[in-house]
Amino acid sequence: MPSQAPLLLRHHRPFIAFWLARIFTASGFQMLTVAIGWNLYQLTGNVLDLGLVGLVEFAPRVLFMLHTGHVADRYDRRKVAAICQSLQAMIALALVIGSATDNVTREMIFILAFLLGAARSFEMPTTQALLPSIVPAGLFPRAVAAAQSAQQSATIVAPALGGLLYAFGSIWVYGPTVVLYLIACCLMLNLPARQTPLNKGKATLDSLLAGIRFIRSRPDILGAISLDLFAVLLGGATALLPVFAKDILLTGPWGLGLLRSAPAVGALLMSLWLARFAVERKVGRVMFTAVGVFGVATIAFGLSTSFWFSLAVLVVLGAADMISMVIRASFVQLETPDEMRGRVSAVNGLFIGASNQLGEFESGLTAHWFGTVPAVVMGGIGTLLVTGAWIKLFPTLANRDRMHEPVDEAKA
């Protein structure tokens, strides 16, 4: 790839609009997550509730998985994404009203978490499928890394800002998120119209399942996204951060915000590196190594009693996760025809959601059964075991050299 490619990407105006929309959407979601988690833990003091929020938010991904992809392939992706962002703004507005009237309850948080998950379940595959039509294929791996740098930049600043603002009251967190989502909505609507014809077919069972069949027919894609599913599902400790902040590391909402920001610091630094120096050789080995580092970092975080050491370990964790994410996202999107990218992205989104939201439920449940620290340590060990097993189950993925090898072989 020529050295001027990142410069061309920065001068690509539709991508800049997309990039900014990602910043505002990610900022709104991260601020909501910090505030909701702390608010709920204050209301109930129950670690299992923190896990249940993740489960409730994940449920719409399963309920609507087949339909979200079809919507992304059949309708204008800009408008679908904008509608989803508007719905999230309304959810934040409901929390503003609830906080202002002192009527935020455990049940209200669960209902709004479900609605938030529903909106995001349609937004994620739509925006994933939208990016390849904005930038040339040659710039796409760098565009993925650059788009992730936008999200991670927001993830660094927004949780810390959300934790700081929460000290003045939850309404000071929920209020700005309404504005952030509305700005993202306007930016999304200003993107160029889709150039390829829309899929006008009806939502038959056969068309809805096309994304699943496509992934099953590509062993490397199946191996990559399932590795992310099980490794992050077991190794994720995000839902337990309020417990670590309050009871183990003895900090407050501001400290919680820093803990949530720390993985994004590592992810941002790595995404900036990958945006300029894309992984071009031995991509399979690099991806599996990164997932292994993720597992080791999870174990170290679970055993840590030092706030600053915990922050450092989470930075490493975020950097490792970013490497595997960019490799996976790049070849999944590049190998998928545009007319079915929405359906494939919906299935991929289910795997990502399972590894995140369902992983939060798993963390809360195991913490409830075994304790917070043992739950995180066992999760990290589980990640290492999954990594070793997947190397054996998907040898072509583990030995994959270049990003585009499967496409070339299919054409050969």
Side-chain angles (χ1 to χ4, degrees), residues 206-261:
D206 183 69
S207 67
L208 294 175
L209 294 176
I212 296 176
R213 290 198 302 271
F214 180 86
I215 290 174
R216 288 185 60 188
S217 69
R218 301 295 193 278
D220 282 4
I221 295 179
L222 176 62
I225 64 176
S226 59
L227 172 66
D228 176 77
L229 166 64
F230 291 106
V232 179
L233 186 151
L234 294 173
T238 303
L240 301 178
L241 288 181
V243 183
F244 274 91
K246 186 174 185 293
D247 300 333
I248 297 176
L249 302 176
L250 305 179
T251 183
W254 186 71
L256 171 62
L258 288 179
L259 289 173
R260 289 195 65 93
S261 298

Side-chain angles (χ1 to χ4, degrees), residues 342-366:
R343 283 164 286 178
V344 172
S345 295
V347 179
N348 190 28
L350 176 65
F351 279 70
I352 294 173
S355 63
N356 293 323
Q357 279 77 45
L358 194 56
E360 291 180 7
F361 173 69
E362 179 271 338
S363 297
L365 188 61
T366 54

Side-chain angles (χ1 to χ4, degrees), residues 180-202:
L180 292 174
Y181 278 121
L182 292 178
I183 294 174
C185 176
C186 294
L187 288 168
M188 196 62 65
L189 290 175
N190 284 324
L191 292 177
R194 187 176 183 177
Q195 299 301 314
T196 56
L198 295 174
N199 177 10
K200 297 296 186 179
K202 295 183 179 180

Side-chain angles (χ1 to χ4, degrees), residues 317-339:
L317 182 149
D321 188 45
M322 176 56 60
I323 295 172
S324 65
M325 191 287 302
V326 169
I327 293 174
R328 181 181 67 254
S330 295
F331 73 77
V332 168
Q333 290 295 332
L334 288 174
E335 288 192 354
T336 306
D338 182 69
E339 64 271 13

